[in-house]
């Protein structure tokens, strides 16, 4: 589970606007310029855990 969660209804603009990412940086105590966002879900996707990586043995 992520250490912070920023629900869509807690920011003015959802993705693709940067509002949720900026809020997450603020909650984590980091300057946005020191953050890297990796996004792999389309806008409006329900949150869920990523699939487990296949085992190598």
């Amino acid at each position: 589970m992520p250490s912070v969660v920023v629900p869509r209804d807690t920011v003015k603009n959802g993705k693709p606007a940067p509002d949720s990412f900026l809020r997450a940086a603020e909650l984590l105590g980091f300057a946005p310029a020191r953050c890297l966002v990796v996004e792999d879900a389309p806008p409006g996707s329900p949150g869920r855990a990523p699939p487990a990586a296949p085992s190598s043995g």
Side-chain angles (χ1 to χ4, degrees):
M1 182 63 127
S3 58
V4 299
V5 176
V6 181
R8 164 62 183 99
D9 61 348
T10 63
V11 293
K12 182 176 180 182
N13 301 298
K15 294 188 301 184
D19 300 32
S20 57
F21 305 114
L22 295 172
R23 178 67 178 138
E26 177 184 22
L27 291 171
L28 290 167
F30 290 103
R34 303 273 306 154
C35 297
L36 173 68
V37 174
V38 178
E39 179 58 70
D40 65 349
S45 294
R48 61 185 116 133
S55 63
S56 61

